[in-house]
Amino acid sequence: MIAVINFGGQYCHLIARKIREQGVKAEIFPHTISASKLKKSFPEGVVLSGGPASVNAENTPKMDLKILDLEIPVLGICYGMQLIAQGLNGTVGKGKSKEYGKNIISVKGNDPLFKGLKKEQVWLSHFDTVKKLPKDFSVSSSTKTCKICSMYSLKKKMFGLQFHPEVHHTPKGKKILENFLKICKAKKNWKIPSLIKSIQKQIKQTIGKEKIIMGVSGGVDSLVASALIHKTIPNQLFCVFINNGLMRKNETKYIQSLYKKMGFKHFFVVDAAEEFVFALEGVSDPEEKRKIIGHTFIHVFEEKAAKLEEKFGKISFLGQGTIYPDRIESAEPSAEASKIKSHHNLTLPEQMNLNLIEPLRDFYKDEIRKIGLSLKIKKEFLFRHPFPGPGLAVRILGEVSAEKLSILREVDSIFIEELKKNKFYDKTWQAFAVIFPVKAVGVKGDERSYSFIVALRAVNSVDGMTADWTRIPELLLEKISSRILNEVPEVGRILYDISQKPPATIEFE
Ligand code: XMP
């Protein structure tokens, strides 16, 4: 296992994912971890992640320097390299200029990290650089403007990179990480088929002969989690899908048939659309909507669980599709950032006194899709666009109504259908429609008319943290627009959103 110590930002998740792609387990630890605690998890190597701070500033994330005495190979990336340098009596100072973006390094010395590499493109994002090497270290690469672009000590098995090997713009970054894993002699045991077996074993051991209930949302995580549990203990699993009335067109039918085809024995649909729409009446504030949806969900779920217990006997466990990034709180960019929107997904009903089981708690989304594929779940489902827990409620700006829900469903379905037909769906990270709370003027026949305004949004993104709008060709936009205007008479105007995230977000609310 490789321990990735997090010094801020999203870098650590990307590093962990890149290591796992090479078949080696990587786990993230907060920068506050002590050397003695870290040692207890037996890491074969340690990566100190990058981070936005300067090691010379006050109140920046520090590390327990005893980690550098554990005699485990250490790779420091950017901020991580500067921590090594500062911690071992080298010096770090401001560079001549802020280096940002692509650059070329010339490799020197015999650093095993650069085995097989000479002149390489790398991606830099820094202001500080190492000015004086610590004892026993040598320079392993430079750029025109940065003399110590990387450093190494064979004696200490320590390595520092000023650039980011984990990003796409460092094409040989994969090779560098691979070389580090070789230096660590890291075991390559992070393989999906054997991991599935070990999760199944754990599920069996934990649940024994008890019963487990799961609220499934129709999303990838809860489907894969439920499929894994179903594969292990099919008769003990009870899945509940709540139609909250905020779903896309034909969603309930689609999910129902998916679970049926997969042979789920106990799959229940609760139609609570009216209850949700009623609870949302008169509410315009997006955070308030999310809260109401969350609470209503818990209420409906509890009621169904009680009925199932009456019929089938005691249920002791609750399954959830929590995934690794959900639970690594310390990896959040900042407490402030995470407060931009509260994501109310399926949360544990507290009063129910159930034991929690999260079979996917150690995995990233791409790994979950791989697990799904090996469980023979259709690719088409596993690669569906993300859909927010509060559903269409956050795509109806202002107050939700049955009328707007029905209009939005039609518009969304035409948009997605055309993207699929024209091979744009898979090229897009997420696409959807939004309906405005005001109407716009138009002409129908010889008369003025007032009809709804909808916006179409399609974005390209890697993880939803940043996003760019998808360049849908004009002709396709025109086709989509004329289909919507013809087929959904309540809509009179269509806008295409060309804002990037940041400063916008992906959803409108
Ligand atoms: P934003 O709008 O924050 O969206 O740029 C980033 C990703 O998160 C999804 N999203 C949500 N997902 N509950 C969810 O489960 C929510 O309340 C929620 N709000 C946004 C959004 O669809 C995008 O994929």
Side-chain angles (χ1 to χ4, degrees), residues 290 341-345 386 388-390 429-430 464 501 505-507:
R290 284 184 167 87
K341 283 179 197 177
S342 58
H343 286 197
H344 276 275
N345 291 329
W429 198 73
Q430 194 170 10
K501 173 183 180 177
T505 53
I506 295 178
E507 302 288 346

Side-chain angles (χ1 to χ4, degrees), residues 287 290 340-346 385-391 394-395 429-430 432 457 459 463-467 501 504-509:
E287 284 301 275
R290 284 184 167 87
I340 294 171
K341 283 179 197 177
S342 58
H343 286 197
H344 276 275
N345 291 329
L346 310 182
H385 289 173
F387 185 69
V394 289
R395 295 177 179 173
W429 198 73
Q430 194 170 10
F432 54 91
R457 176 107 167 117
V459 292
D463 51 13
M465 298 298 295
T466 57
K501 173 183 180 177
T505 53
I506 295 178
E507 302 288 346
F508 274 46
E509 281 199 335

Side-chain angles (χ1 to χ4, degrees), residues 439-452 489 492-493:
K439 291 187 173 180
V441 71
V443 279
K444 277 196 181 151
D446 290 332
E447 288 184 21
R448 282 167 83 83
S449 65
Y450 287 91
S451 338
F452 283 105
R493 220 161 263 247

